[in-house]
Amino acid sequence: MPHPLDTFFAPDSIALIGASRDLEKIPGRLLSMLRKNEYPGQIYPINPNYGDIDGLKCYKSISDVGQPIDLAIVIIPARAVLAVLEQCAAAGVKNAVIISSGFAEEGGDSAAMQDAIVALAKRTGMRISGPNAEGFLSEVQKVAATFSPTVDVKPGHVPLVATKRRAAIVAQSGGIGFAIKHRAKALGVAISYCVSAGNESDLGAGEFLDYMVQDASTDVILLFIEGIRDVDKFLAAARRAAESGKPVIVTKVGRSGAGERAAASHTASMAGWSAAYDAVFAKYGFIVSNDLDEAVAIAAVLTTNPLPKGDRVAVLTVSGGAGIWGADTVALQGLQVPELSPAIQTEIKKLLPSYGAAGNPIDVTAQGVHSGGLQNSIDLLSASGEVDAILVVLSLSSDTRVPFKQAELRPVISAQHKPIVFYSYTLPSAFARSEFAACGAVVLSGLTHAGVAMRRMVERARFKLAPKVDATAPPCDLSAHLKSATLSEHDSKALLRAAGIAVPDEVLVTEKSGLDAAIVQLGFPLVAKIQSRDIPHKSEVGGVRVGIASKGEVFLAYEALLNNARRHRPDAGIQGVLIGSMAKKGVEIIVGTMLDATFGPMIMVGLGGVTTELFRDVVYRPAPVSTVEAGAMLAELKAAPLLNGFRGAAQADVPALSQLIAQVSVLAAQQAREISEIELNPVLVHPEGQGVTIVDALVVRKT
Amino acid sequence: MPHPLDTFFAPDSIALIGASRDLEKIPGRLLSMLRKNEYPGQIYPINPNYGDIDGLKCYKSISDVGQPIDLAIVIIPARAVLAVLEQCAAAGVKNAVIISSGFAEEGGDSAAMQDAIVALAKRTGMRISGPNAEGFLSEVQKVAATFSPTVDVKPGHVPLVATKRRAAIVAQSGGIGFAIKHRAKALGVAISYCVSAGNESDLGAGEFLDYMVQDASTDVILLFIEGIRDVDKFLAAARRAAESGKPVIVTKVGRSGAGERAAASHTASMAGWSAAYDAVFAKYGFIVSNDLDEAVAIAAVLTTNPLPKGDRVAVLTVSGGAGIWGADTVALQGLQVPELSPAIQTEIKKLLPSYGAAGNPIDVTAQGVHSGGLQNSIDLLSASGEVDAILVVLSLSSDTRVPFKQAELRPVISAQHKPIVFYSYTLPSAFARSEFAACGAVVLSGLTHAGVAMRRMVERARFKLAPKVDATAPPCDLSAHLKSATLSEHDSKALLRAAGIAVPDEVLVTEKSGLDAAIVQLGFPLVAKIQSRDIPHKSEVGGVRVGIASKGEVFLAYEALLNNARRHRPDAGIQGVLIGSMAKKGVEIIVGTMLDATFGPMIMVGLGGVTTELFRDVVYRPAPVSTVEAGAMLAELKAAPLLNGFRGAAQADVPALSQLIAQVSVLAAQQAREISEIELNPVLVHPEGQGVTIVDALVVRKT
């Protein structure tokens, strides 16, 4: 099915506006790169100062061309860009990529020029990438619409291609995008596209991602982002990627304060809140990597291997120490390195010297290589049901020899029975890379990256996209409950109750005379808590009494709470004292929601108490989530064992907790215009079948 | 000062026993490598089958040489080795390295041959490395006593040397040792020695480490270990390294079950318990790295830079996105990326275009490079007091250009005012590496590795070796307390009390009639706990009652505890019921000791309760520790804030806890022949000045 951006990425004709003969400068380099990379379509250089450039007729303006133009590459001073774009639109140019800098990234007047470009794109329908973009490379259609030095073609250089499947690169930073391409190609990973997004006046990273998701020549996507602007397109593309099973490896920067500071000032981008990004990535099964070589290693294993059926890894080596290191690395990634069965060990040992090892790691030794033990072991392990993936740890520094014969290794790789990952502890030689590439294999040079890549493959194989949550029911009107910026616990619980969420029976006592009725209703033991919209942290003002066991104590507590509040916060408006029963015991959990500036409502769950803050053991997802997805969130907590009968304790009521999380997430999503935060802290999760208790609650109105 | 191993590492003469003309095989390659690397001393090939090899006179046996021989390299069949070693010793050979395999790593008879070698070394004083060793390389003295392909000399190849300081490599795996060398040299890190330890019949990794620590040509040490055998020498060398300030970067494998399985079976080595290794590494300030490129990157920054005076980093870049990534990476390592002062920003901006950024990260932009902004910024930041280190993030893939002039960059690097670390996001070209090497700088290719290396530099600068603990006081005789394999709580506390450690006043009641006296002594509320040497986990048999508030309850509890114990464990011998006061509140801590098979007594401290097990927030050190070192252990806990007034809680009595840890560690060290484990769990740490309470204790006798 044709895609609107096909003419952008595979143009039949390109106008180069600002073309130059000076190969040392960017405009000249753009033309040179296009031709060196053998662009097969028509090129129309545009520059009023030349009659021809490098044998091509040069036009004074775009309107002189008189032929259909799919793509205009614009590299002229910023102040001249808008007028030229108008001419392009008038001439029927379908797409433009603006390389010129000096727009939103400068602020002031320059930002206004970019706004005008946005308006022009909307008005005319011409699709515009940039300004301040580094352009793109389409390897499939041989379109090098970029000045990146990494697309230069060196005479006599034979590109290394190890993979049949291709990776596409979408990057908000051109420098990084083409660096990813540079490193991926050095490993032999075939590339379909590499596109930089620049200032995203019209075309953004989300839309580019969408293109790569539907593109048949792209099998894996590498994504580098600072902050997503076209959020809806991005989310739609993410869902399509997850549904179609096409892996996306994402790097998100601007995670630290310093990074965020630069992201805001440099790229005119909303760097955003990384927890929300990570939540979105987790929802759609994106593979997060914050290291360039690691990301490329993951792409390399995904473009050369099938996904594993499980997490059992065989580590095969020619050097004992390296094999142990390999086994450690894989095991520390949480994968299994099972001891092989006696049957398969016996088979493997047939070609090994006596000091070899077949248990796993399997050390065939240098001598075992000569006798064919390495290939034999791969054959056996590839056919075996005992492991799901193989890590081969070798020394491949030789310029003349590799420990495999192409004719023997290639069929095993081609069969794609299970992932086979190759790592060299010495720096692999170009010769070795090329020999392995001929077999369809990439040689990794980082062991940690190899281990992480194998782990990510296993996770990817396990990933299931959570079904969409039906949030079509009309939201209830809660405006009556949102009278203050910060709701008291009593008001917050009333709002939750109105939204259909179960909260404990409690009595708000506003005069001492009301205490008797509360006691009659609730019995003993009791809890008493001061209620004020001005006091969100009750404990800090001595505003909580627990374990009240008698009528006398209730009255004393009531007095004390009011006195404490008046002493600590004389200005606070006091609603009264909330009297409730002591909650049954349970595991302390925190459930919260917040609005992210980029992605909107988010739901969070974590272990309650001090550990939440100390160990940051919390999990976020975009709201709403289903009970199934809520359950998956809980399983991700390091503290998950506490809910599942840790050290002989009772199994906690995880279904009830999952249901609460789902309900709260739907509430946050439906009320995203009214409510900015909900925090239930703690929620006590009782033993199986006994439900949960929301002990305290706080709702913050959106301002 | 001469060192006994000088004649090993810098021999004036070498006998090559088993020399061969066949360059395809290891014996032939050994001779070839020695000569290609221009060994300046005498070489005596020994082989009864040849009159000469490659122009050198060949001897029938070592006794025919008739000249002093510093080193014999032995590469003959395993069964012939012992006799040849006897001849070597008789001929006065000072050292031997046995390359031949087929000894302890095969087990059985072959292991016995190795034992004979050990005995020979002891008897004759000839020092022996191997068998099953890959030999060593001395770059300083041009001794390539190894068959490793990585020491081959390629015609016309000019080695890259970026560092004045040198790194030595000591590895228990020859394959890995020379792989480290291969990668280090590719970065331009100068090497002093690379030595593989093999089976360590006589010379072990500890003694080799000691050599490198005292060696004046070695500035940094890279250590790869599977399991230390010469423990005392290793520990002495570690202390000397710490005292002399020479950094040791260590990789320890055999950390996972699978790795350990292979370590035990393959290299005849005790892989050991990694927690104890890590504790020893921490004590001596070793830099732990479990990734090859990361370890080499750390060595590269340490051989080219001074240590930083603090943790404030400036990130300097030519590409916005890459700069943000750099700032993120450094910040996620816990280093600061402070915003620069307006004064320095103004200075930096003078050479940047308007869309550059000077806040930190500093983006000089591609244009800023042309105008000299990159060099100018480095000069300013190097002289500035605002940052302690600089990370420069560049694209260095060009074969013809780098963004610095040698004459300008070299003086800043040479001045060594602060660390300046260079990272290229594209793969650096050989040209760029060589240009930077001429300035005394290494180009790193992994950003995470650069960030980790900077972090390790900061930690290294902060490291202080803890003073030795005076454990000369004679240990008290505790044998009377060690009557059973596992001591009851009562017996354990009695032992602690006898050792001078304060435990709470408690009464062991053996008959109901004793309860009254206990009540009189202790008052209410009380705790009652069943005591039996056969019941280490009292709670599991309903053996604990807390919060007992009246005489009636005490009697009921006494009955109930005895009944529960009899019902659950009818076979258990019951000591009685321990009656104690309810402890004051405090932070729950666990303090423990255990004996490591390699390093002996270890002290452990962690946050008590469920979190210990879930989050593994524990810190180990070799015992004994001082109170100062105990305090440092506590500061390493993720949960440390809980002891330091977390969320408005009282500051806990950290001095009292530190003293307890120190006391327990001395006890464990002094009684290492009698006691295998002590566990105090929980210890309650009360508010400042109120001490600690050992609530429960368990001592296990050494079997």
Side-chain angles (χ1 to χ4, degrees):
Chain A
M1 203 174 70
H3 188 279
L5 289 185
D6 284 345
T7 54
F8 179 88
F9 280 112
D12 286 334
S13 52
I14 295 176
L16 181 52
I17 303 177
S20 161
R21 287 180 184 156
D22 182 354
L23 292 180
E24 291 297 300
K25 299 247 166 87
I26 287 175
R29 223 191 303 163
L30 277 162
L31 180 57
S32 155
M33 294 293 183
L34 267 178
R35 302 190 81 187
K36 275 190 180 177
N37 281 276
E38 302 177 346
Y39 172 62
Q42 287 296 320
I43 304 178
Y44 303 110
I46 316 282
N47 190 328
N49 302 317
Y50 300 115
D52 63 286
I53 299 178
D54 197 18
L56 288 176
K57 177 171 160 51
C58 187
Y59 298 83
K60 295 225 179 305
S61 79
I62 193 89
S63 44
D64 291 346
V65 177
Q67 298 288 333
I69 295 169
D70 281 347
L71 177 68
I73 304 173
V74 181
I75 174 66
I76 54 176
R79 310 237 152 237
V81 166
L82 195 62
V84 158
L85 289 177
E86 291 286 3
Q87 292 170 20
C88 285
V93 172
K94 294 196 181 106
N95 308 281
V97 52
I98 308 170
I99 308 292
S100 317
S101 294
F103 294 86
E105 74 276 17
E106 292 208 358
D109 284 1
S110 307
M113 293 194 305
Q114 183 168 321
D115 295 340
I117 294 174
V118 175
L120 182 146
K122 273 203 185 129
R123 175 165 51 82
T124 64
M126 185 170 74
R127 302 309 307 269
I128 300 175
S129 175
N132 193 27
E134 201 161 328
F136 69 89
L137 169 75
S138 159
E139 291 244 334
V140 181
Q141 288 90 4
K142 300 188 175 179
V143 187
T146 175
F147 59 91
S148 168
T150 66
V151 306
D152 202 357
V153 178
K154 290 177 192 166
H157 175 73
V158 180
L160 181 74
V161 182
T163 72
K164 284 195 185 113
R165 278 166 269 170
R166 287 171 179 268
I169 298 154
V170 175
Q172 287 189 315
S173 156
I176 295 298
F178 286 99
I180 295 172
K181 183 199 78 79
H182 191 226
R183 292 190 183 227
K185 293 199 73 158
L187 279 189
V189 177
I191 300 296
S192 54
Y193 301 92
C194 176
V195 59
S196 74
N199 287 4
E200 305 190 334
S201 60
D202 173 28
L203 287 166
E207 198 158 352
F208 286 142
L209 175 64
D210 185 64
Y211 187 81
M212 303 311 162
V213 171
Q214 61 80 46
D215 174 58
S217 66
T218 296
D219 301 286
V220 173
I221 300 164
L222 284 149
L223 182 63
F224 176 87
I225 54 184
E226 298 173 18
I228 289 296
R229 295 182 186 90
D230 51 348
V231 176
D232 293 344
K233 285 176 182 157
F234 175 81
L235 290 174
R239 177 168 287 280
R240 284 177 69 174
E243 285 168 351
S244 69
K246 194 176 283 191
V248 179
I249 303 156
V250 64
T251 301
K252 161 74 175 75
V253 298
R255 289 174 174 271
S256 68
E260 211 168 299
R261 189 165 68 226
S265 73
H266 174 77
T267 65
S269 157
M270 260 302 301
W273 176 54
S274 289
Y277 276 93
D278 287 333
V280 169
F281 300 155
K283 180 176 189 78
Y284 294 108
F286 281 23
I287 299 166
V288 177
S289 174
N290 290 311
D291 183 273
L292 216 169
D293 284 327
E294 182 189 278
V296 170
I298 296 167
V301 298
L302 286 172
T303 47
T304 46
N305 288 292
L307 289 178
K309 294 194 172 63
D311 65 355
R312 301 164 304 164
V313 179
V315 178
L316 190 60
T317 187
V318 296
S319 159
I324 299 165
W325 205 348
D328 270 9
T329 303
V330 167
L332 293 177
Q333 287 296 327
L335 305 178
Q336 296 184 62
V337 186
E339 184 151 17
L340 297 176
S341 69
I344 199 164
Q345 288 201 44
T346 305
E347 280 304 303
I348 288 175
K349 277 182 178 162
K350 283 180 183 165
L351 289 170
L352 306 194
S354 56
Y355 54 92
N360 195 13
I362 302 131
D363 178 8
V364 304
T365 78
Q367 191 184 317
V369 174
H370 290 288
S371 51
L374 196 53
Q375 181 70 54
N376 175 53
S377 301
I378 289 222
D379 294 344
L380 282 166
L381 293 166
S382 178
S384 155
E386 291 185 28
V387 294
D388 305 299
I390 307 170
L391 172 63
V392 190
V393 176
L394 302 167
S395 173
L396 297 175
S397 59
S398 167
D399 291 326
T400 52
R401 273 189 286 201
V402 289
F404 288 101
K405 291 182 183 142
Q406 275 191 32
E408 290 171 7
L409 184 59
R410 195 187 296 121
V412 196
I413 306 279
S414 301
Q416 297 276 300
H417 284 138
K418 60 185 63 161
I420 308 178
V421 175
F422 296 90
Y423 159 72
S424 172
Y425 47 93
T426 46
L427 285 173
S429 66
F431 170 78
R433 287 204 179 283
S434 144
E435 288 291 302
F436 276 81
C439 299
V442 167
V443 179
L444 297 181
S445 165
L447 181 55
T448 307
H449 298 153
V452 170
M454 296 186 85
R455 165 77 190 196
R456 296 291 171 265
M457 278 201 292
V458 169
E459 287 170 353
R460 178 74 205 173
R462 285 177 183 161
F463 171 72
K464 282 201 186 84
L465 179 62
K468 270 192 175 172
V469 177
D470 182 14
T472 48
C476 42
D477 181 4
L478 300 173
S479 52
H481 292 277
L482 290 158
K483 296 291 185 207
S484 59
T486 300
L487 275 62
S488 70
E489 175 185 351
H490 175 68
D491 294 349
S492 298
K493 285 178 169 170
L495 182 148
L496 293 171
R497 197 180 285 114
I501 294 169
V503 289
D505 276 344
E506 287 166 330
V507 180
L508 180 67
V509 178
T510 53
E511 293 191 20
K512 205 185 276 189
S513 58
L515 286 171
D516 280 320
I519 293 169
V520 169
Q521 186 181 333
L522 299 166
F524 289 107
L526 290 172
V527 181
K529 296 184 268 190
I530 196 79
Q531 296 296 303
S532 164
R533 289 159 184 158
D534 305 315
I535 303 176
H537 302 292
K538 297 179 282 283
S539 303
E540 291 176 7
V541 299
V544 179
R545 284 282 188 284
V546 301
I548 301 168
S550 67
K551 191 170 167 178
E553 284 180 64
V554 174
F555 278 80
L556 289 172
Y558 183 87
E559 289 285 354
L561 293 184
L562 290 176
N563 287 338
N564 284 346
R566 280 185 205 114
R567 199 171 68 247
H568 285 279
R569 292 289 307 278
D571 55 317
I574 304 296
Q575 258 187 323
V577 171
L578 192 65
I579 307 287
S581 297
M582 285 286 282
K584 290 177 294 182
K585 288 199 168 180
V587 180
E588 266 190 52
I589 291 286
I590 177 172
V591 175
T593 78
M594 54 277 290
L595 292 179
D596 178 61
T598 304
F599 294 110
M602 291 285 142
I603 175 90
M604 183 269 279
V605 65
L607 182 62
V610 292
T611 40
T612 308
E613 209 167 310
L614 274 182
F615 298 102
R616 300 193 180 268
D617 186 23
V618 290
V619 173
Y620 295 85
R621 282 290 184 286
V625 296
S626 65
T627 51
V628 173
E629 198 172 358
M633 291 173 72
L634 292 172
E636 278 184 34
L637 289 173
K638 286 199 200 79
L642 285 185
L643 293 168
N644 298 306
F646 189 63
R647 282 183 166 181
Q651 166 71 35
D653 199 336
V654 172
L657 177 59
S658 300
Q659 198 194 344
L660 173 65
I661 295 166
Q663 282 182 309
V664 172
S665 78
V666 169
L667 175 62
Q670 287 180 335
Q671 304 286 335
R673 291 175 180 200
E674 310 289 336
I675 296 176
S676 67
E677 289 175 50
I678 304 171
E679 186 166 289
L680 316 182
N681 185 20
V683 173
L684 293 178
V685 187
H686 308 301
E688 211 165 11
Q690 297 179 38
V692 298
T693 302
I694 299 172
V695 174
D696 201 349
L698 172 69
V699 173
V700 180
R701 196 177 64 189
K702 197 177 170 200
T703 49
Chain B
M1 201 174 73
H3 188 280
L5 289 186
D6 284 344
T7 54
F8 180 86
F9 281 112
D12 285 335
S13 52
I14 294 176
L16 181 51
I17 303 178
S20 160
R21 288 181 183 156
D22 182 354
L23 292 180
E24 291 298 300
K25 298 245 166 90
I26 286 176
R29 225 193 301 163
L30 277 163
L31 180 57
S32 156
M33 295 292 182
L34 267 178
R35 303 190 81 185
K36 276 190 180 179
N37 282 276
E38 302 176 345
Y39 172 62
Q42 288 295 321
I43 303 178
Y44 303 109
I46 315 282
N47 189 329
N49 303 320
Y50 299 115
D52 64 284
I53 300 178
D54 197 18
L56 289 176
K57 176 173 160 57
C58 188
Y59 298 83
K60 294 223 177 307
S61 78
I62 193 85
S63 45
D64 291 345
V65 176
Q67 297 288 331
I69 295 168
D70 282 348
L71 176 68
I73 304 173
V74 181
I75 173 67
I76 54 176
R79 310 239 152 238
V81 166
L82 195 62
V84 157
L85 289 177
E86 291 284 6
Q87 293 170 20
C88 286
V93 171
K94 294 196 182 106
N95 308 281
V97 52
I98 307 170
I99 308 290
S100 316
S101 294
F103 294 86
E105 73 276 17
E106 293 208 359
D109 283 1
S110 308
M113 293 194 305
Q114 184 167 321
D115 294 340
I117 295 174
V118 176
L120 183 146
K122 274 203 186 130
R123 174 164 51 80
T124 65
M126 185 170 73
R127 301 309 308 268
I128 300 176
S129 175
N132 193 26
E134 200 161 329
F136 68 90
L137 169 75
S138 159
E139 290 245 332
V140 182
Q141 288 91 5
K142 299 188 173 177
V143 188
T146 175
F147 60 90
S148 169
T150 66
V151 307
D152 202 357
V153 179
K154 290 176 193 166
H157 174 73
V158 180
L160 181 74
V161 181
T163 72
K164 284 196 184 113
R165 280 166 268 168
R166 288 171 179 268
I169 298 154
V170 175
Q172 287 190 313
S173 156
I176 294 298
F178 286 99
I180 295 172
K181 183 199 79 76
H182 190 227
R183 293 189 183 228
K185 293 199 73 157
L187 278 190
V189 177
I191 300 296
S192 53
Y193 300 91
C194 177
V195 58
S196 72
N199 287 5
E200 306 190 331
S201 60
D202 172 28
L203 286 166
E207 197 157 355
F208 286 141
L209 175 65
D210 184 64
Y211 188 80
M212 303 311 163
V213 170
Q214 61 80 46
D215 175 58
S217 66
T218 296
D219 301 286
V220 173
I221 299 163
L222 283 150
L223 182 63
F224 175 89
I225 54 183
E226 297 173 21
I228 289 295
R229 295 183 186 89
D230 50 348
V231 176
D232 293 343
K233 285 177 182 158
F234 175 81
L235 290 174
R239 177 168 287 279
R240 285 177 70 174
E243 284 167 351
S244 68
K246 192 175 284 192
V248 180
I249 303 156
V250 64
T251 300
K252 161 73 175 76
V253 299
R255 288 173 175 273
S256 67
E260 208 168 301
R261 188 164 68 224
S265 72
H266 174 77
T267 65
S269 155
M270 257 304 299
W273 176 52
S274 289
Y277 275 92
D278 286 333
V280 169
F281 300 155
K283 180 175 189 78
Y284 295 108
F286 281 23
I287 299 166
V288 177
S289 174
N290 290 312
D291 183 272
L292 215 170
D293 283 326
E294 181 189 278
V296 170
I298 296 167
V301 299
L302 286 172
T303 47
T304 48
N305 288 292
L307 289 178
K309 294 194 173 65
D311 64 356
R312 301 163 305 165
V313 179
V315 178
L316 190 60
T317 187
V318 296
S319 159
I324 299 165
W325 205 348
D328 270 9
T329 303
V330 167
L332 293 178
Q333 287 296 327
L335 305 177
Q336 296 184 63
V337 186
E339 183 151 18
L340 298 176
S341 68
I344 200 165
Q345 288 201 41
T346 305
E347 280 302 305
I348 288 175
K349 277 182 179 164
K350 283 180 184 166
L351 289 170
L352 307 193
S354 56
Y355 54 92
N360 195 13
I362 301 133
D363 178 9
V364 302
T365 79
Q367 192 184 319
V369 174
H370 291 288
S371 52
L374 196 54
Q375 181 70 54
N376 176 54
S377 301
I378 289 221
D379 294 344
L380 282 165
L381 293 166
S382 178
S384 155
E386 292 185 26
V387 294
D388 305 300
I390 307 170
L391 173 62
V392 190
V393 176
L394 302 167
S395 173
L396 298 174
S397 58
S398 168
D399 292 326
T400 53
R401 273 189 287 200
V402 289
F404 288 101
K405 291 180 182 145
Q406 274 190 34
E408 290 172 7
L409 184 58
R410 194 187 295 121
V412 197
I413 306 277
S414 301
Q416 297 274 300
H417 285 137
K418 61 186 60 162
I420 308 178
V421 176
F422 296 90
Y423 159 72
S424 172
Y425 47 92
T426 46
L427 284 173
S429 66
F431 171 78
R433 287 204 179 283
S434 146
E435 287 291 302
F436 276 80
C439 298
V442 167
V443 178
L444 297 181
S445 165
L447 181 55
T448 307
H449 297 154
V452 170
M454 296 186 84
R455 165 76 190 196
R456 297 290 171 265
M457 277 202 291
V458 170
E459 286 170 353
R460 177 76 205 171
R462 286 177 183 159
F463 170 73
K464 281 199 187 84
L465 179 63
K468 269 192 175 173
V469 177
D470 182 15
T472 49
C476 43
D477 181 3
L478 299 173
S479 52
H481 293 276
L482 291 159
K483 296 289 186 208
S484 57
T486 301
L487 276 62
S488 70
E489 175 186 351
H490 175 69
D491 294 348
S492 298
K493 285 177 169 170
L495 180 149
L496 293 171
R497 195 180 286 114
I501 294 169
V503 290
D505 275 345
E506 289 166 331
V507 180
L508 181 68
V509 178
T510 51
E511 292 192 19
K512 208 184 273 189
S513 58
L515 286 170
D516 280 319
I519 293 168
V520 169
Q521 183 180 335
L522 299 165
F524 288 108
L526 290 172
V527 181
K529 297 184 268 189
I530 196 76
Q531 296 296 304
S532 162
R533 288 160 183 158
D534 304 315
I535 303 177
H537 302 292
K538 298 181 280 285
S539 303
E540 291 176 7
V541 298
V544 179
R545 284 282 188 284
V546 300
I548 301 168
S550 67
K551 188 169 168 177
E553 284 180 65
V554 176
F555 279 80
L556 288 172
Y558 183 87
E559 288 284 356
L561 293 185
L562 290 177
N563 287 337
N564 284 345
R566 281 185 206 115
R567 198 170 68 246
H568 286 280
R569 293 290 308 279
D571 54 318
I574 304 296
Q575 259 187 322
V577 171
L578 191 65
I579 307 287
S581 297
M582 285 285 283
K584 291 177 294 182
K585 288 198 168 180
V587 180
E588 266 189 52
I589 291 285
I590 177 172
V591 175
T593 78
M594 55 275 290
L595 291 179
D596 178 62
T598 305
F599 294 111
M602 292 284 142
I603 176 91
M604 183 270 279
V605 65
L607 183 62
V610 290
T611 41
T612 308
E613 208 168 309
L614 273 183
F615 298 102
R616 299 196 181 267
D617 186 24
V618 290
V619 172
Y620 295 86
R621 281 292 184 286
V625 296
S626 65
T627 52
V628 173
E629 198 172 358
M633 291 173 72
L634 292 173
E636 278 184 35
L637 289 173
K638 287 200 200 80
L642 286 184
L643 293 168
N644 297 305
F646 189 64
R647 282 182 166 180
Q651 166 70 36
D653 200 335
V654 171
L657 176 59
S658 300
Q659 198 194 344
L660 174 65
I661 294 167
Q663 282 182 308
V664 172
S665 77
V666 169
L667 175 61
Q670 288 180 334
Q671 304 286 335
R673 292 177 179 197
E674 310 290 337
I675 296 175
S676 67
E677 289 174 51
I678 304 172
E679 187 166 287
L680 315 182
N681 185 20
V683 173
L684 294 178
V685 188
H686 308 301
E688 211 166 10
Q690 297 180 37
V692 299
T693 302
I694 298 172
V695 175
D696 200 349
L698 173 69
V699 173
V700 179
R701 195 177 64 189
K702 196 177 169 201
T703 48

